[in-house]
Amino acid sequence: MRLSLTASLTLVLLTPVAHAAGQTKDEAVTIGPWQVEAAYKGQKFERCVMSRETADGVDVRFTRDAEGLNLSMRSPKWKLGRNKSYPVELAAGTSVLKADVEAAGDAVSVPIKDDRFLKSLKLADGLEVRGEGSTIQVALDKSAAGLERLESCYTKNLAPTETNPFVAPSKKP
């Protein structure tokens, strides 16, 4: 009986690991409140995205692509000027990054190029986005693991895929 109980527990504990290892490119990985997934245009890899929604209904996304890391936020409640920029302060732990966010309709985005701020982002419990009108609070629980997974997603999908040597490559115009 003890042997069957041990075998059952082992199977239950290893099933999520086996599922994650066999994950296809179309599936998202959940890390705490974050969803990490690769984005493709047709068959071509473009970027990896880590996203979640705040308690206030703001969609928060960290995107990793050839340009680097980018933070974007969207809310249906926002009415922003198209192609307008707004000054903000991003605060994570003791690190503050002053930037101008680019707006488009109901969304803003800003590249994260500062390595010191990125390290603070991984260690902090929360991110404050301070604009002139208000402050948006983003809980960063499990963000270190999520950002690590985001980077590995990008690196893994950027690498050339193995081809089948027994099948002629397709010839697309």
Side-chain angles (χ1 to χ4, degrees):
M1 171 137 162
R2 185 177 282 171
L3 181 62
S4 66
L5 179 61
T6 303
S8 296
L9 282 174
T10 303
L11 181 61
V12 168
L13 292 174
L14 290 179
T15 300
V17 173
H19 175 71
Q23 175 187 1
T24 64
K25 70 179 183 182
D26 297 326
E27 294 179 6
V29 174
T30 302
I31 300 174
W34 300 97
Q35 295 285 322
V36 180
E37 61 188 320
Y40 291 79
K41 188 171 189 176
Q43 294 295 322
K44 186 176 184 216
F45 170 72
E46 284 196 326
R47 64 189 172 281
C48 287
V49 179
M50 180 175 99
S51 62
R52 72 168 295 170
E53 190 171 303
T54 68
D56 296 332
V58 177
D59 180 37
V60 179
R61 293 176 179 263
F62 288 96
T63 305
R64 174 61 167 98
D65 60 14
E67 302 291 317
L69 187 67
N70 190 63
L71 167 65
S72 63
M73 295 183 295
R74 175 182 306 268
S75 174
K77 299 174 188 174
W78 297 346
K79 304 295 182 230
L80 307 168
R82 194 172 268 318
N83 297 325
K84 193 170 181 185
S85 65
Y86 298 93
V88 295
E89 282 187 354
L90 304 173
T94 59
S95 186
V96 176
L97 177 68
K98 293 184 181 195
D100 288 329
V101 293
E102 299 295 321
D106 62 354
V108 295
S109 66
V110 61
I112 308 292
K113 304 278 188 201
D114 186 301
D115 287 335
R116 182 174 169 258
F117 183 77
L118 183 56
K119 286 178 186 174
S120 293
L121 200 59
K122 291 177 182 178
L123 298 173
D125 293 330
L127 169 67
E128 288 186 357
V129 181
R130 302 173 187 149
E132 289 185 15
S134 68
T135 298
I136 300 166
Q137 303 280 342
V138 180
L140 292 178
D141 42 335
K142 303 284 185 186
S143 66
L147 288 167
E148 185 176 305
R149 180 63 183 229
L150 182 68
E151 189 63 33
S152 70
C153 168
Y154 180 75
T155 304
K156 181 183 87 173
N157 285 289
L158 199 58
T161 57
E162 291 184 29
T163 58
N164 184 343
F166 303 105
V167 177
S170 62
K171 297 179 180 176
K172 294 184 180 179

